[in-house]
């Protein structure tokens, strides 16, 4: 069954030739192209769209009006290319559109694009994850804009990590941004890359520092289409990556033995030269949170095991007491089978002892009746049997088998 198709396409940072092959193909196949004329270069659409394609500027549309275009695609079986700047997964408002489109009888897809921070790093020839300098990258924006920020996602909190940060949608409040970064721990000499309309014909790249950032933005009148990348990785050299080192091996390449020895020696030297951070002295009498958590778990386990033993004494299966925790006591049952129903075992032992006593007493009486008169020798023979008879009769006084109500006590 032929249906329409809605493609959400990442056009990349701006240059027409930085769109992906799939993205360009979807624009060429589209009957309608919805694109943000203020964020995507006209060449990106003109070079790939057909001459008879309907072009719609999304900057003049509301969400509801965009959804109506998608309904046209469903009704008339049209192909729609919704072109976003950069990558649709970053601040593209694509999720609400995608959710509305998947409820229609059309094909829906998202085509990724080259993000602006990648294009900015490429423009100055820098890797953002420099070995032993920065191995993380934080993508965020300054709070206080049109879209509220969730709790715990303030710039100053992210800045405490001290790693590389890429800040979007923040150029209009550069002064506030500088204060947030300082509060997070970045010094004023931290390098900053100011990237305005990367890969566009009027691209502008400014190398600055945190202390000079506000003045540089005012000097060049930058308040829109500007991205900030901040961190030591913009200038620090770091160390050589081990990925292509001759002493490093992986699935497709063997390591050179001499280079391997040299690499190990280098690691050992660096490990001894780098001072280890001394842990803070703590009060030995103070209970750590991890210890408190462990003892809480241990107390819970002991309580649960005690409940299981109590349940076993009352001849109730463990899974009937607490089915969700039954696995905790499987090993204990296998290790201590005699712990189950101990009173029942003692009752059975007492019953067997009482039966044996009665049999021995009956045998003694029959032998006495056959002998007739009691002789002195017979009396001597009965003497050692009395203590045994007395011992065997002691548990019989309780008579547990005759009184079931006493067994439960």
């Amino acid at each position: 069954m032929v249906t329409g198709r809605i493609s959400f396409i990442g056009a990349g940072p701006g240059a027409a030739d930085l769109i992906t092959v799939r993205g360009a193909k979807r624009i060429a196949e589209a009957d309608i192209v919805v694109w943000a004329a203020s964020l995507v270069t006209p060449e990106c659409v003109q070079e790939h769209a057909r001459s008879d394609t309907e072009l719609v500027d999304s900057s003049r549309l509301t969400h509801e009006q965009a959804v109506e275009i998608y309904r046209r695609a469903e009704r008339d079986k049209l192909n729609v290319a919704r072109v976003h700047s950069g990558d649709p997964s970053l601040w593209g408002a694509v999720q609400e559109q995608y959710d509305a489109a998947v409820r229609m009888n059309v094909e829906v897809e998202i085509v990724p694009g080259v993000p602006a921070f990648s294009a900015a790093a490429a423009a100055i020839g820098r890797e953002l994850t420099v070995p032993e300098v920065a191995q993380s990258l934080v993508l965020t924006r300054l709070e206080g804009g049109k879209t509220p920020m969730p709790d715990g996602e303030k710039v100053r909190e992210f800045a405490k990590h001290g790693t590389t940060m890429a800040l979007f949608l923040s150029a209009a409040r550069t002064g506030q941004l500088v204060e947030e970064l300082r509060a997070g721990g970045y010094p004023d000499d931290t390098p900053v890359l100011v990237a305005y309309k990367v890969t566009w014909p009027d691209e502008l790249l400014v190398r600055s520092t945190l202390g000079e950032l506000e003045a540089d933005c005012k000097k060049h009148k930058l308040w829109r289409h500007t991205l900030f990348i901040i961190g030591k990785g913009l200038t620090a050299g770091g160390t050589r990556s081990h990925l292509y080192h001759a002493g490093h091996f992986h699935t497709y390449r063997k390591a050179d033995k001499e280079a391997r020895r040299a690499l190990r020696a280098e690691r050992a030297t660096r490990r001894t030269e780098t001072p280890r951070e001394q842990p803070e002295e703590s009060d030995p009498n103070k209970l750590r949170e991890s210890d408190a958590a462990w003892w809480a778990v241990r107390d819970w386990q002991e309580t649960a095991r005690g409940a299981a033993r109590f349940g076993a004494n009352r001849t109730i299966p463990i899974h009937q007491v607490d089915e969700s925790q039954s696995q905790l006591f499987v090993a204990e049952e296998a290790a201590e089978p005699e712990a189950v129903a101990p009173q029942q075992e003692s009752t059975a032992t007492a019953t067997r002892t009482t039966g044996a006593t009665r049999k021995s007493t009956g045998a003694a009486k029959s032998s006495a009746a056959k002998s007739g008169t009691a002789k002195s020798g017979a009396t001597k023979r009965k003497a050692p049997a009395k203590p045994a008879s007395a011992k065997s009769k002691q548990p019989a006084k309780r008579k547990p088998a005759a009184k079931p109500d006493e067994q439960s006590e």
Side-chain angles (χ1 to χ4, degrees):
M1 179 180 176
V2 179
T3 62
R5 183 180 64 210
I6 302 174
S7 302
F8 297 96
I9 303 168
D17 56 352
L18 280 180
I19 192 171
T20 64
V21 175
R22 181 181 298 181
K25 182 179 179 182
R26 292 294 184 264
I27 293 176
E29 297 171 346
D31 301 298
I32 304 174
V33 175
V34 182
W35 62 299
S38 60
L39 301 175
V40 179
T41 56
E43 292 78 14
C44 186
V45 175
Q46 295 171 358
E47 289 188 12
H48 305 297
R50 303 194 313 262
S51 59
D52 60 340
T53 300
E54 179 183 351
L55 301 180
V56 180
D57 184 0
S58 64
S59 61
R60 302 179 182 276
L61 298 179
T62 63
H63 170 71
E64 289 73 18
Q65 291 173 329
V67 172
E68 285 301 319
I69 295 177
Y70 305 153
R71 296 191 187 281
R72 281 179 53 197
E74 177 187 24
R75 183 180 65 250
D76 301 335
K77 298 180 174 56
L78 304 176
N79 293 332
V80 176
R82 174 63 171 96
V83 182
H84 290 260
S85 62
D87 184 87
S89 65
L90 298 175
W91 295 286
V94 71
Q95 192 63 57
E96 56 196 24
Q97 300 177 74
Y98 182 89
D99 292 342
V102 294
R103 291 192 289 266
M104 305 177 188
N105 185 27
V106 292
E107 297 181 16
V108 185
E109 65 175 346
I110 296 179
V111 180
V114 177
F117 71 87
S118 296
I124 62 171
R126 294 298 302 180
E127 178 183 353
L128 298 180
T129 52
V130 181
E132 299 191 24
V133 176
Q135 289 291 289
S136 304
L137 176 64
V138 177
L139 307 178
T140 187
R141 66 174 182 83
L142 184 64
E143 60 270 12
K146 298 178 182 178
T147 304
M149 295 286 286
D151 294 336
E153 292 193 10
K154 295 185 179 297
V155 170
R156 65 175 61 193
E157 297 299 326
F158 288 127
K160 291 179 180 179
H161 296 282
T163 188
T164 308
M165 295 181 66
L167 293 127
F168 296 75
L169 309 172
S170 305
R173 290 164 291 134
T174 310
Q176 180 185 350
L177 176 62
V178 171
E179 293 302 321
E180 288 291 310
L181 292 171
R182 283 174 176 162
Y186 282 109
D188 281 355
D189 61 349
T190 305
V192 180
L193 172 65
V194 183
Y196 170 78
K197 301 183 77 170
V198 184
T199 74
W200 287 55
D202 53 346
E203 170 192 280
L204 176 64
L205 300 175
V206 178
R207 290 181 178 269
S208 181
T209 62
L210 183 60
E212 300 174 352
L213 179 60
E214 185 175 7
D216 285 339
C217 288
K218 289 181 179 179
K219 175 182 177 181
H220 295 283
K221 300 180 180 180
L222 302 178
W223 61 280
R224 293 183 61 200
H225 309 299
T226 304
L227 166 71
F228 301 114
I229 299 180
I230 180 171
K232 296 180 293 183
L234 292 175
T235 56
T239 60
R240 176 180 174 178
S241 173
H242 293 167
L243 180 60
Y244 297 105
H245 195 287
H248 178 72
F249 66 92
H250 52 70
T251 306
Y252 303 100
R253 189 185 71 234
K254 294 182 179 181
D256 180 76
K257 293 183 179 180
E258 292 298 328
R260 184 68 177 171
R261 293 192 192 98
L263 181 60
R264 288 179 176 177
E266 179 186 345
R267 289 175 177 172
T269 303
R270 191 183 306 117
R271 196 177 299 115
T272 55
E273 292 178 352
T274 304
R276 297 183 61 183
E277 295 183 359
Q278 296 296 329
E280 297 180 0
E281 295 183 0
S282 58
D283 186 359
N285 298 323
K286 183 179 179 181
L287 187 65
R288 295 179 301 175
E289 293 184 2
S290 58
D291 293 337
W294 161 245
W295 283 109
V297 173
R298 189 174 184 275
D299 291 343
W300 173 83
Q301 290 175 338
E302 292 298 329
T303 303
R305 290 192 179 103
R309 292 192 183 99
F310 176 75
N313 293 339
R314 295 183 62 86
T315 66
I316 301 176
I318 290 176
H319 68 275
Q320 293 184 10
V321 177
D322 189 354
E323 185 176 3
S324 63
Q325 308 298 338
S326 60
Q327 296 297 327
L328 293 175
F329 314 109
V330 174
E332 185 175 353
E333 289 178 353
E336 301 178 1
E338 67 278 1
V340 180
Q343 293 186 0
Q344 291 183 359
E345 292 183 0
S346 61
T347 303
T349 304
T351 304
R352 291 194 297 269
T353 305
T354 304
T357 304
R358 289 176 179 174
K359 289 181 180 179
S360 61
T361 305
K365 289 181 179 180
S366 61
S367 61
K370 290 180 181 179
S371 60
T373 58
K375 297 181 180 180
S376 60
T379 305
K380 292 180 180 179
R381 286 193 299 271
K382 292 181 180 179
K386 289 181 179 180
S389 177
K391 289 182 180 180
S392 61
K393 287 182 179 181
Q394 288 178 359
K397 292 180 181 181
R398 296 172 62 184
K399 296 181 181 180
K403 296 181 180 182
D405 57 333
E406 294 179 358
Q407 296 180 12
S408 61
E409 294 181 357

